[in-house]
Amino acid sequence: MNTSPASPDAPADEGLPFIQRLSNVARYEGGRVVILDRRVYPASVEFVTCADYGAVARAIGEMVTQSYGPWVAASYGMVSAARSAQAMSHTDAQAELRRAAEVLSHARPTTSGGMTRSINRIRDFALGKLAEDREHLEAATLAFVESTLQARYREDRAICSHAVDLLPDPATILTQCYAETLIGFVLLISQERGKEISLICPETRPYLQGARLTAAAAHDLGIPTTVITDNMPAYVLSKGTIDAFVCAADVVTLDGHAVNKVGTFQIALAAHYHKVPFYVVRNPSAANPTIATVEIEERDPEESLHAMGVRTAPRGVSGYYPAFDITPPHLISAVCTSRGVFSPYDLRKGFGPDVQAH
């Protein structure tokens, strides 16, 4: 069945739930970047307005947005930098664009490899435009960013189309955390194909992205959704009612490791034990040829002692909060990419540095 939008001219986010529409992830408004505050959604729909790229980087670091959100916000942060650079001398403008790219791409360390590559593309475009048409630097950079974001969403649709091919009908899938369009399109395409699909998502402490963001997105699409606590996946998998564990990853390395929200590894272990396939939906990162190139972000330990602003542990006890964990390739059944479905051991064949981009 054709899983493309109704029209080739349709927006790439057509049909997706509120939280995944590009303008609701982040948008650019005359030098400012407006970001949906996912720390309070869906209880409250609030936006954080960032006056410059430095404020965007701080918002990313403070978890105003996560998953694909930082890529969108940082991209618009580069447009804000282009606006500032437009009024500077050529030398100062170059320095401003390079500084903005560095700050934005390193707002969170674990995703900095792939983020750097993406943001540097915008930086290089803006530097080129600076040399030939300074007067329209901001407008041209904004057009480039919006074209790039639309292309990314279309790529995500292609990735998820391959994942849906692997699912039975009907299918109950277990996911982890909030995978933005890479869970949204799995659900949407399943609906488009007439597949009966339901979703189980762990709550994902301490920010409860699963209970709030994933569940809200699935509910908006009319998908039967069940939220479980983070200590339930192994038991739920043991019941024999889960057809697949499907999640995205913040990084997939070329040597087949998936780096995703902490808790993914233990679910993968339980899925492997119960013979439930684990499908990762994400293109691998050429910027991360091996797992050794990925830095696991360790956030403020205090964050693990709170939930939605309420302290859950007595004062004086210690916390620990690695934001991500690493699932090795032997626990991954397949990696679904825009170029097809790969064994985690074969990713270099389709995405290695010696492979020409499609």
Side-chain angles (χ1 to χ4, degrees):
M1 181 179 291
N2 182 7
T3 62
S4 298
S7 161
D9 299 324
D13 59 2
E14 186 171 283
L16 288 172
F18 174 90
I19 192 176
Q20 293 171 6
R21 296 294 182 101
L22 270 168
S23 62
N24 296 329
V25 177
R27 58 182 180 267
Y28 185 73
E29 295 182 350
R32 299 176 181 274
V33 180
V34 180
I35 307 171
L36 178 68
D37 192 343
R38 293 179 174 177
R39 298 169 301 184
V40 297
Y41 184 85
S44 179
V45 179
E46 301 177 20
F47 290 84
V48 172
T49 299
C50 301
D52 54 33
Y53 69 81
V56 173
R58 288 191 294 275
I60 293 169
E62 292 168 3
M63 296 285 285
V64 170
T65 190
Q66 28 47 40
S67 188
Y68 184 37
W71 301 69
V72 179
S75 297
Y76 285 128
M78 287 301 299
V79 183
S80 180
R83 181 187 179 96
S84 298
Q86 202 165 260
M88 297 177 180
S89 70
H90 187 78
T91 300
D92 288 348
Q94 287 181 317
E96 177 78 349
L97 291 169
R98 291 193 173 100
R99 184 165 51 245
E102 179 71 13
V103 168
L104 288 164
S105 62
H106 289 82
R108 294 192 68 184
T110 296
T111 56
S112 63
M115 180 79 87
T116 297
R117 192 172 186 177
S118 176
I119 296 303
N120 282 354
R121 284 186 63 217
I122 303 170
R123 177 204 64 192
D124 292 345
F125 173 87
L127 287 171
K129 188 55 89 173
L130 177 68
E132 64 185 46
D133 187 9
R134 172 196 300 273
E135 184 180 351
H136 299 103
L137 178 61
E138 178 190 14
T141 304
L142 177 59
F144 179 78
V145 163
E146 292 185 335
S147 173
T148 299
L149 293 175
Q150 288 287 320
R152 171 67 182 264
Y153 265 51
R154 295 189 191 283
E155 181 177 73
D156 286 355
R157 174 177 266 274
I159 291 169
C160 295
S161 178
H162 293 300
V164 174
D165 288 342
L166 300 176
L167 299 178
D169 183 13
T172 297
I173 63 174
L174 173 68
T175 192
Q176 166 68 345
C177 199
Y178 176 62
E180 199 83 45
T181 52
L182 290 171
I183 194 65
F185 276 127
V186 166
L187 302 176
L188 179 61
I189 293 169
S190 293
Q191 287 183 323
E192 291 172 349
R193 295 186 185 179
K195 279 192 175 183
E196 183 181 335
I197 191 164
S198 58
L199 181 71
I200 295 178
C201 53
E203 60 189 350
T204 326
R205 289 261 299 124
Y207 280 95
L208 302 176
Q209 295 105 314
R212 296 184 302 105
L213 309 183
T214 304
H219 181 71
D220 281 357
L221 291 174
I223 302 294
T225 304
T226 302
V227 173
I228 60 175
T229 63
D230 289 343
N231 52 357
M232 293 183 188
Y235 178 77
V236 172
L237 285 160
S238 76
K239 304 299 286 183
T241 57
I242 304 295
D243 295 293
F245 173 34
V246 182
C247 76
D250 291 82
V251 179
V252 175
T253 62
L254 290 180
D255 62 355
H257 294 76
V259 181
N260 195 45
K261 179 67 179 181
V262 67
T264 304
F265 177 36
Q266 63 195 29
I267 300 176
L269 284 167
H272 184 73
Y273 180 84
H274 291 293
K275 297 180 172 54
V276 173
F278 175 24
Y279 303 133
V280 175
V281 284
R282 179 68 186 255
N283 277 349
S285 169
N288 297 105
T290 71
I291 192 59
T293 62
V294 179
E295 176 188 354
I296 297 299
E297 176 184 1
E298 296 199 358
R299 296 186 59 82
D300 183 351
E302 282 291 307
E303 294 181 34
S304 68
L305 304 177
H306 293 76
M308 301 302 292
V310 177
R311 189 175 181 88
T312 56
R315 297 194 180 279
V317 304
S318 299
Y320 177 52
Y321 184 14
F324 304 92
D325 62 22
I326 301 165
T327 301
H330 75 274
L331 297 178
I332 300 171
S333 306
V335 179
C336 302
T337 79
S338 59
R339 301 178 186 177
V341 178
F342 288 79
S343 160
Y345 297 103
D346 291 337
L347 292 173
R348 282 195 176 90
K349 294 179 182 178
F351 292 88
D354 55 338
V355 177
Q356 284 222 320
H358 289 196

